[in-house]
């Protein structure tokens, strides 16, 4: 058998991963090491060489874009392609499973998926119905609590209480669960939990899928949470084969429930699992990789790998010490302009920062210079208000029990249904355990509502019923166009957009276009196809705009370091590399956070292909006050031989201060006792830290030290016994 098309383009480590005969394999894939190629070629090896039928393969990715790319690449390999194969995100696969087995999962056939905004909206109603103060019990806090519990596989009865705050949140969770079950609504976290419970409660069904999916492949394994890993383990069972690809050095989503420990747990749970390290990098220069390796090397408990490249050393990494954030922004713009004047493209350039708040100075400088830019990660298509309003009408047409959709649509556009009327409807819904739609019908029959409110509600009910009747037999695009016209949404948003740059009606037109191109999802053999509208609504909730953004013009891209994961650019500028900003102050106060911040730095460094520019500011205005910071410890962890320190070439106006401002340069001026600002010191009790400020002299001289473990402390120099280094 000729397997050259599967192996010829692979390096030795990639080839080892693709051809392994181990039942369980962990591929530690460094940044830019070709992990997608390995996954695709592994699937090709399974189907073409080992004779595994495509329907026996389940491949899980973390984005719909990645899933689409994988399907495309598999089809290009030839052979049997991906027909019959399940490839998708955890949420997408869970959704597919629940659609096939809705009855066994205890769901209505036409259950709807709640996105995060609608979950918040529903929780506000639940909290209000419970008589709780929304200010003390914000819906977002409750959503975080509920989603975190579900990510751990916990229903309300499994959550340990013991204090009044937790007990109240558990009660909110219980009430929310009652509401969603009654309305046939499923939030994102519920998709995974319900699918996992389906495995556990339906032994015959689990056995069927264990026999079918003998080979499980998981991408970005370091980003899995507890329920996702449990999902994989249960499905694999005692006979399945697992092939997981991840990088513990790029685990940056601990704040949203991801467990980097799952990588090590995998080796524990599957004793004898084969580990393959992909260390050859095809993205960055040797100097960039040397810097990234050095930084991440300071993290303990790594499984360990060292990135290398067969290409040359490349240019040194520029390090710029700015006076303030405006000077920093101006330098970045000048560096981008130089890149463009040398023949590069604006879209080659990305500016990365720790927090969105840092974009202001950069945007201002780019605008003044006339350089086109885009802030990456703005509102996605399906997250825009006008789109969500339209979808709310469509969801009500699909199922009247959808309370979240009812609340969004009932007074949009305004039709004289005020908050007091809605409160009365909610009260009846709670008292009689009804959906809001049913509660309105009950109110209309009771005569309790004032005449004007009753007429407005009756008009809305009749509108939805009319839309349902009128759209039967129409194509999906025609349905949406009709809803926009008859509901008044198109007129409403045309008036709202008048005199503004943002024409929301353009987005409504695009929604109709998206609907016209919508293709029904593949269904299992023997299963009834979903109604087109239900399928489209599920697609809108699950995709959340992936692939639906406007066409990108040739422009500089501004984004957070988190947003940059998975992307690469010829020129990357990372700004705000100061202690307290990156790493953030909180990371030094919570266990494990500093390691995740360092992994985030590693991700940022490895986004650059050719040129990397690092910046920090001596002074930065935060919350209206000028603050002074030392260079980030991540800068000090980079070998000096790959750095080129760039000095300011122009005089920048500085704010006037009442006290001398410490200069947070590498070559900082001396503090008392010969210590230097920015210097590394160690203390017998507090451990290692960096000097960030000083005051006084003689026996009363004090220094401020930011310790890695203990946080920021003021110490009297004569008593502190600080050691250098």
């Amino acid at each position: 058998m000729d397997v050259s098309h599967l192996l010829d383009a692979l390096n030795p480590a990639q080839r080892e991963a693709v051809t392994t005969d181990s039942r369980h394999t962990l591929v530690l894939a460094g940044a830019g090491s070709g992990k997608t190629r390995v996954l695709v070629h592994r699937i090709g090896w399974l189907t073409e060489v080992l004779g595994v039928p495509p329907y026996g393969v389940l491949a899980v990715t973390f984005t719909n874009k990645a899933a689409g790319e994988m399907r495309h690449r598999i089809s290009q390999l030839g052979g049997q392609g991906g027909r019959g194969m399940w490839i998708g995100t955890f949420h997408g696969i869970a959704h597919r499973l629940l659609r096939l087995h809705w009855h066994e999962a205890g769901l209505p056939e036409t259950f709807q998926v709640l996105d995060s905004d609608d979950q918040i909206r529903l929780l506000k109603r639940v909290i209000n119905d419970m008589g709780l103060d929304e200010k003390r019990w914000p819906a977002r806090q409750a959503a975080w609590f509920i989603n975190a519990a579900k990510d751990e596989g916990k229903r309300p009865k499994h959550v340990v209480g013991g204090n009044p705050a937790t007990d109240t949140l558990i009660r909110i969770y219980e009430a929310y669960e009652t509401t969603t079950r009654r309305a046939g609504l499923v939030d994102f976290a519920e998709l995974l939990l319900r699918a996992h419970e389906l495995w556990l409660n339906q032994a015959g069904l689990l056995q069927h899928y264990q026999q079918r999916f003998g080979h499980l492949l998981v991408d970005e394994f370091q980003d899995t949470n507890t329920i996702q890993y449990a999902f994989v383990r249960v499905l694999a069972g005692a006979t399945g084969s697992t092939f997981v690809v991840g990088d513990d050095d790029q685990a940056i989503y601990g704040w949203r429930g991801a467990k980097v420990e799952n990588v090590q747990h995998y080796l524990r749970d599957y004793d004898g699992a084969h580990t393959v390290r992909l260390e050859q990098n095809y993205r960055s220069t040797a100097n960039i990789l040397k810097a990234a390796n050095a930084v991440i090397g300071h993290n303990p408990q790594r499984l360990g790998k060292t990135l290398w490249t067969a290409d040359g050393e490349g240019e040194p990494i520029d390090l710029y010490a700015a006076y303030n954030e405006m000077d920093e922004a101006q330098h970045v713009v000048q560096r981008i302009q130089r890149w463009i004047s040398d023949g590069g493209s604006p879209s080659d350039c990305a500016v990365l920062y720790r927090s969105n708040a840092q974009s202001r100075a950069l945007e201002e400088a780019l605008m003044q210079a006339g350089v086109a830019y885009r802030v990456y990660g703005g509102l996605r298509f399906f997250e825009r208000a006008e789109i969500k309003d339209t979808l709310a009408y469509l969801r009500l047409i699909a199922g009247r029990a959808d309370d979240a959709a009812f609340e969004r649509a009932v007074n949009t556009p305004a039709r004289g249904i005020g908050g007091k009327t809605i409160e009365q409807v909610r009260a009846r819904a709670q008292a009689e355990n009804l959906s809001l739609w049913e509660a309105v019908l009950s109110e209309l029959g009771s005569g309790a509502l004032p005449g004007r409110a009753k007429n407005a509600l009756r008009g809305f009910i009749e509108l939805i019923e009319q839309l349902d009747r009128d759209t039967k037999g129409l194509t999906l695009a025609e349905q949406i166009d009709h809803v926009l016209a008859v509901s008044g949404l198109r007129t409403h948003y045309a008036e709202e957009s008048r005199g503004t740059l943002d024409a929301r009606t353009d987005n409504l037109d695009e929604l109709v276009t998206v609907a016209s191109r919508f293709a029904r999802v593949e269904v299992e053999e023997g299963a009834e196809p979903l109604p087109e509208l239900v399928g489209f609504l599920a697609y809108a909730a699950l995709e959340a705009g992936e692939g639906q953004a406007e066409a990108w013009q040739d422009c500089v891209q501004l984004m957070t370091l988190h947003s940059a994961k998975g992307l690469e650019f010829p020129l990357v500028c990372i700004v705000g590399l100061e202690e307290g900003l990156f790493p953030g102050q909180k990371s030094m106060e919570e266990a494990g956070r500093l390691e995740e911040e360092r992994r985030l730095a590693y991700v940022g460094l490895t986004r650059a292909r050719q040129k990397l520019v690092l910046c920090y500011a001596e002074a930065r205005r935060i919350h209206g006050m000028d603050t002074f910071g030392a260079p980030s410890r991540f800068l000090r962890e980079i070998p000096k031989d790959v750095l080129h320190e760039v000095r300011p070439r122009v005089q920048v106006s500085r704010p006037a201060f009442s006290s001398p401002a410490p200069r947070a340069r590498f070559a900082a001026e001396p503090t008392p006792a010969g210590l230097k600002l920015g210097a590394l010191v160690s203390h017998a009790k507090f451990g290692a830290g960096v000097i960030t400020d000083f005051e006084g002299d003689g026996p009363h001289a004090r220094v401020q030290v930011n310790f890695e473990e203990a946080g920021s402390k003021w110490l009297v120099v004569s008593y502190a016994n600080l050691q250098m280094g």
Side-chain angles (χ1 to χ4, degrees):
M1 178 183 291
D2 183 10
V3 294
S4 56
H5 65 293
L6 292 174
L7 301 181
D8 282 358
L10 306 180
N11 65 41
Q14 293 173 333
R15 193 172 298 158
E16 180 188 353
V18 166
T19 61
T20 180
D21 57 3
S22 175
R23 215 177 102 214
H24 302 293
T25 304
L26 168 64
V27 180
L28 283 176
S33 63
K35 67 178 178 67
T36 305
R37 172 178 289 183
V38 166
L39 274 165
V40 169
H41 284 242
R42 175 63 179 174
I43 291 171
W45 185 265
L46 291 173
T47 56
E48 295 183 44
V49 180
L50 301 185
V52 177
Y55 59 78
V57 175
L58 174 68
V60 188
T61 66
F62 265 78
T63 66
N64 290 292
K65 183 180 178 182
E69 183 182 355
M70 188 176 292
R71 288 192 201 95
H72 177 66
R73 290 205 195 183
I74 290 169
S75 68
Q76 287 187 318
L77 272 183
Q80 302 180 69
R83 188 169 179 81
M85 199 178 294
W86 280 26
I87 303 173
T89 64
F90 274 105
H91 291 96
I93 286 169
H95 174 257
R96 184 172 184 175
L97 189 69
L98 295 176
R99 287 293 180 196
L100 288 169
H101 305 286
W102 55 270
H103 183 71
E104 295 93 330
L107 292 167
E109 187 174 6
T110 57
F111 71 86
Q112 293 295 318
V113 182
L114 275 179
D115 66 14
S116 55
D117 283 353
D118 283 330
Q119 183 187 29
I120 299 292
R121 190 182 290 266
L122 188 60
L123 274 166
K124 284 181 179 177
R125 174 197 157 195
V126 167
I127 291 165
N128 190 67
D129 287 346
M130 293 174 67
L132 297 172
D133 184 355
E134 290 182 52
K135 291 183 179 177
R136 186 176 178 189
W137 304 101
R140 289 193 182 278
Q141 179 192 2
W144 179 88
F145 177 85
I146 292 167
N147 294 338
K150 289 184 177 184
D151 286 346
E152 292 292 322
K154 296 176 180 178
R155 294 292 181 192
K157 63 183 179 184
H158 302 131
V159 182
V160 178
N163 62 73
T166 305
D167 291 344
T168 302
L169 287 168
I170 292 171
R171 288 198 297 115
I172 294 172
Y173 186 1
E174 289 171 341
Y176 170 77
E177 199 163 66
T178 300
T179 303
T180 52
R181 286 182 184 270
R182 183 185 65 224
L185 299 173
V186 177
D187 58 47
F188 271 44
E190 181 71 17
L191 282 171
L192 292 169
L193 180 55
R194 190 68 69 97
H196 183 244
E197 290 173 343
L198 183 65
W199 295 145
L200 300 181
N201 299 330
Q202 301 288 333
L205 200 62
L206 173 61
Q207 188 179 14
H208 164 75
Y209 281 103
Q210 284 177 335
Q211 290 174 349
R212 172 175 175 174
F213 296 125
H215 293 269
L216 278 67
L217 298 94
V218 184
D219 191 12
E220 303 287 4
F221 188 68
Q222 78 281 349
D223 293 334
T224 54
N225 59 28
T226 300
I227 197 72
Q228 288 165 343
Y229 184 36
F231 184 96
V232 172
R233 287 201 69 201
V234 170
L235 185 55
T239 58
S241 173
T242 61
F243 186 93
V244 302
V245 182
D247 184 2
D248 56 334
D249 291 334
Q250 294 190 74
I252 59 174
Y253 297 118
W255 51 275
R256 69 182 191 193
K259 298 290 180 68
V260 65
E261 310 91 69
N262 285 347
V263 179
Q264 294 182 338
H265 290 171
Y266 178 86
L267 295 175
R268 179 199 66 193
D269 296 333
Y270 295 105
D271 189 28
H274 182 47
T275 301
V276 182
R277 288 172 169 82
L278 303 184
E279 298 177 303
Q280 185 174 358
N281 178 279
Y282 295 93
R283 177 187 297 157
S284 306
T285 65
N287 280 334
I288 293 170
L289 296 180
K290 188 176 180 180
N293 287 330
V295 170
I296 200 63
H298 284 75
N299 267 2
Q301 300 178 337
R302 297 172 61 229
L303 292 175
K305 65 184 172 310
T306 302
L307 296 181
W308 61 276
T309 180
D311 298 331
E313 289 188 353
E315 294 184 43
I317 298 167
D318 285 352
L319 174 64
Y320 183 74
Y323 293 130
N324 52 38
E325 72 270 23
M326 301 308 296
D327 181 30
E328 178 184 65
Q330 287 168 14
H331 178 75
V332 167
V333 172
Q334 289 167 6
R335 192 63 192 79
I336 290 170
Q337 288 175 316
R338 195 190 317 161
W339 177 274
I340 296 170
S341 66
D342 290 343
S345 167
S347 56
D348 293 342
C349 310
V351 187
L352 313 184
Y353 36 78
R354 182 63 181 85
S355 164
N356 270 312
Q358 293 170 253
S359 76
R360 182 196 61 82
L362 293 160
E363 290 187 67
E364 188 176 309
L366 286 163
M367 282 191 290
Q368 288 177 353
V371 177
Y373 73 92
R374 184 184 300 274
V375 179
Y376 184 89
L379 280 179
R380 298 180 186 269
F381 182 78
F382 284 111
E383 294 172 340
R384 295 169 187 168
E386 59 273 24
I387 302 302
K388 290 175 73 69
D389 289 341
T390 309
L391 294 177
Y393 277 88
L394 297 171
R395 284 165 51 187
L396 272 182
I397 293 171
R400 305 292 195 274
D402 190 336
D403 287 352
F406 182 97
E407 290 211 18
R408 188 166 193 115
V410 68
N411 205 41
T412 307
R415 48 179 58 88
I417 302 172
K420 196 172 179 180
T421 302
I422 296 298
E423 286 297 322
Q424 192 166 333
V425 172
R426 284 179 187 148
R428 182 175 287 271
Q430 185 184 21
E432 299 178 15
N433 198 27
L434 303 171
S435 68
L436 291 178
W437 181 275
E438 292 168 329
V440 169
L441 296 178
S442 182
E443 284 287 347
L444 292 176
S446 70
L449 283 169
R452 181 178 292 180
K454 185 179 288 188
N455 289 337
L457 280 172
R458 183 179 288 110
F460 178 68
I461 295 291
E462 289 172 354
L463 171 64
I464 299 300
E465 297 286 4
Q466 177 195 340
L467 290 172
D468 192 6
R469 290 190 301 270
D470 292 349
T471 54
K472 283 187 175 19
L474 298 179
T475 67
L476 183 60
E478 290 170 339
Q479 288 180 55
I480 295 174
D481 204 31
H482 185 81
V483 167
L484 288 171
V486 177
S487 67
L489 281 174
R490 186 179 290 280
T491 303
H492 167 71
Y493 279 113
E495 292 173 354
E496 192 174 280
S497 302
R498 193 168 294 160
T500 68
L501 187 64
D502 180 23
R504 295 192 173 189
T505 51
D506 292 346
N507 292 329
L508 298 176
D509 291 335
E510 182 61 20
L511 182 64
V512 177
T513 304
V514 172
S516 69
R517 296 172 181 159
F518 177 71
R520 296 191 192 206
V521 293
E522 179 187 346
V523 296
E524 202 74 352
E525 268 188 2
E528 289 292 322
L530 284 176
E532 195 172 30
L533 179 58
V534 174
F536 180 74
L537 291 170
Y539 159 80
L542 287 166
E543 295 279 324
E546 280 194 6
Q548 300 296 330
E550 297 122 19
W552 284 59
Q553 69 182 97
D554 188 17
C555 61
V556 176
Q557 299 173 47
L558 310 183
M559 67 188 74
T560 64
L561 285 147
H562 281 99
S563 298
K565 174 99 184 306
L567 304 175
E568 59 182 68
F569 306 91
L571 169 65
V572 169
C573 303
I574 305 178
V575 300
L577 281 158
E578 300 129 42
E579 290 288 302
L581 187 59
F582 187 40
Q585 193 62 44
K586 286 186 178 179
S587 70
M588 294 174 253
E589 300 168 358
E590 298 178 28
R593 286 285 296 275
L594 181 59
E595 286 79 6
E596 183 158 314
E597 287 283 286
R598 186 173 279 110
R599 291 195 291 268
L600 189 57
Y602 174 80
V603 166
L605 295 171
T606 55
R607 296 313 93 193
R609 285 165 49 191
Q610 299 174 32
K611 185 65 184 178
L612 180 60
V613 179
L614 308 176
C615 303
Y616 68 94
E618 294 179 345
R620 188 176 298 274
R621 180 157 290 193
I622 301 173
H623 301 300
M625 297 182 62
D626 290 296
T627 60
F628 305 94
S632 169
R633 68 191 65 198
F634 304 147
L635 292 175
R636 297 192 300 276
E637 292 167 359
I638 296 174
K640 292 249 175 67
D641 63 333
V642 302
L643 289 175
H644 170 234
E645 289 197 51
V646 182
R647 297 300 176 189
R649 288 178 289 119
V650 295
Q651 185 64 40
V652 178
S653 59
R654 296 172 174 235
F657 302 102
S658 57
S659 59
R663 294 172 56 84
R665 291 191 182 278
F666 282 173
E669 69 235 42
T671 67
L675 301 172
K676 292 183 178 180
L677 287 169
L680 274 176
V681 295
S682 61
H683 185 271
K685 180 180 179 182
F686 302 128
V690 60
I691 297 176
T692 58
D693 203 355
F694 72 91
E695 62 180 28
D697 51 28
H700 303 293
R702 300 197 309 154
V703 291
Q704 187 180 36
V705 184
N706 197 353
F707 293 102
E708 292 184 12
E709 301 295 335
S712 188
K713 307 277 185 188
W714 278 99
L715 304 172
V716 179
V717 176
S718 55
Y719 298 107
N721 195 25
L722 293 171
Q723 302 297 314
M724 294 293 293

